[in-house]
Amino acid sequence: MVGGQADVKLVSNAMANATRRKIMAMLVEKERTNEEIEQAVGGTMLDYHLQMLKQAGLADTREGRVVITDFGKNFMETKSDKPGVAKKDLAGTRPLQVVDLRQLLPCIADSSKFRIIARFEPPLEGALKLLEPLFPRARYSDRIGALIIQRGNILITVYSTGRVTMTMIKSEAEAREVLEDLKKTINEAIIKGITPVPREKVKVDHAEIYQYLPRTDCQICGEQSCYAFAIKLVGRETEIDKCTPLLEPRYATNLEHIRTLLEYL
Ligand code: SF4
C-alpha cells in the first residue's frame, strides 16, 4: 500500500450503500470489533461491506478491530464535494496550479498501476462544467459535481473543490505529465477567456462496454453472452448490477470504467 487514502470514485461506490453508511457512522464514534458491527447491522455480507470500505480507504483493521482512517474521518466531516454555483462563462476564473500530488493505493485490477490524488488551486467551482467540451471524452456529472475525463485507460476525475483523482497511472512521472497536460488545456481556455462551445455528448457503443466486461459468457446476468449484455446495457434494457462477477475485486477498475462509460449514455 502506498498511502492511506483512496480514489473518490471508490468512496462514492462504498458510501452508496445504507449498511456501509451505518458502519461508517459507528466508526466515527469509536473503533469497533466485528462482533459489535455484526450486532448493529447483521452478519449478511458483512465481510463484503468491510472490504468495500477498506478498498475505498475509509476504514481499516488494526489489532483485530475495525477503525476509521484519517481519510474516512475527513470524508465523514465533509460528506462530499459540493459543486459551486454554476457559471455562464470563464470570466473571472483564474489559471490553475498543481499544488499537491500523492500516490495512493495500487490499482486493484493491476497492481503495477496506481490510484493518485492531486489538487488544483484555485478550485474551479462553478466554472468546471463549462470545461467539458475541451476534452474529447469527458462528461460533467451533476450527481458527484465532477468532470470525468477518459484518457485511454486512465480515468481522471476533477472536482469543483480542486481535488483530482486518477486511476491506472504507471508512475508519479506519468501522473505529473497527465496533470500538466490537463492544466495546460484548461489554462489555455482560461487565459484566452474563451468559453468552450458545448458540443454533442460523447457517444458510447456496446463494443466499448464489452471490452471491460469479464467476457466469460457465464450467463449469471440472464443474457446469453457478455456481448448480448453489453448491447442491452447500452439500450438501457438491463442494469450493470446484474453482472455480479464485476463486483469481484479483480474487476474493480473495469467496473469503474463501465460506470464512467454509462455516464456518457
Ligand atoms: S454475468 Fe457478466 S460475465 Fe457473466 S455473461 Fe453476464 S455480462 Fe458476462
Side-chain angles (χ1 to χ4, degrees), residues 4 25 64 67 113 115 146 151 198 201 204 209 211 214 228 235 245 250 253:
V67 298
K113 305 232 167 59
R115 298 177 174 278
R151 183 173 148 153
K201 295 294 181 195
V204 172
I209 292 204
Q211 66 172 321
R250 65 192 160 128
T253 305

Side-chain angles (χ1 to χ4, degrees), residues 1 15 19 44 62 78 86 100 130 135-136 140 143 162 173 175 197 210 213 228 234 239 241 253-254 260:
M1 183 182 287
M15 295 302 286
T19 301
T44 313
R62 233 172 272 152
T78 57
D100 187 22
L130 299 172
F135 304 95
Y140 183 82
R143 189 174 60 81
V197 180
Y210 170 72
L213 288 172
V234 171
E239 301 287 328
D241 295 347
T253 305
N254 294 43
T260 302

Side-chain angles (χ1 to χ4, degrees), residues 36-198:
E36 285 172 326
I37 297 173
E38 188 173 338
Q39 274 174 11
V41 303
T44 313
M45 295 179 71
L46 182 56
D47 285 348
Y48 172 73
H49 289 312
L50 292 177
Q51 189 190 14
M52 288 287 286
L53 293 173
K54 286 177 194 172
Q55 279 174 359
L58 293 163
D60 208 349
T61 303
R62 233 172 272 152
E63 295 169 3
R65 299 174 80 84
V66 186
V67 298
I68 192 168
T69 61
D70 288 344
F71 177 60
K73 278 183 208 154
N74 188 35
F75 175 81
M76 292 301 282
E77 274 166 21
T78 57
K79 291 285 187 198
S80 64
D81 293 277
K82 300 274 186 242
V85 178
K87 292 180 74 171
K88 288 195 171 58
D89 56 44
L90 291 176
T93 305
R94 287 179 293 146
L96 301 177
Q97 291 299 324
V98 180
V99 295
D100 187 22
L101 189 153
R102 274 170 285 155
Q103 285 188 351
L104 302 176
L105 299 167
C107 282
I108 297 159
D110 181 348
S111 58
S112 67
K113 305 232 167 59
F114 295 99
R115 298 177 174 278
I116 303 275
I117 191 164
R119 179 164 292 280
F120 280 147
E121 287 283 356
L124 284 158
E125 299 182 334
L128 184 62
K129 192 170 184 172
L130 299 172
L131 302 175
E132 184 189 81
L134 285 178
F135 304 95
R137 293 193 69 83
R139 178 83 185 219
Y140 183 82
S141 167
D142 285 308
R143 189 174 60 81
I144 59 171
L147 184 64
I148 303 164
I149 303 162
Q150 195 185 9
R151 183 173 148 153
N153 271 339
I154 299 171
L155 278 185
I156 308 159
T157 308
V158 183
Y159 290 86
S160 52
T161 54
R163 180 155 48 171
V164 183
T165 65
M166 293 188 278
T167 61
M168 297 296 278
I169 291 286
K170 278 187 266 176
S171 62
E172 189 172 324
E174 184 181 52
R176 289 201 182 280
E177 190 188 317
V178 172
L179 270 181
E180 285 299 322
D181 234 40
L182 192 63
K183 183 185 88 175
K184 186 166 166 240
T185 304
I186 294 173
N187 281 352
E188 271 175 13
I190 291 173
I191 290 162
K192 285 180 190 160
I194 300 169
T195 303
V197 180

Side-chain angles (χ1 to χ4, degrees), residues 20 30 36 42 52 84 106 152 186 202 205 230 238:
R20 295 195 286 272
K30 59 176 185 173
E36 285 172 326
M52 288 287 286
I186 294 173
V202 172
D205 67 13
T238 190

Side-chain angles (χ1 to χ4, degrees), residues 214 216-221 225-226 229 243 245:
T216 57
D217 296 339
C218 68
Q219 302 186 350
I220 290 173
C221 57
S225 64
C226 294
F229 183 74
C243 175

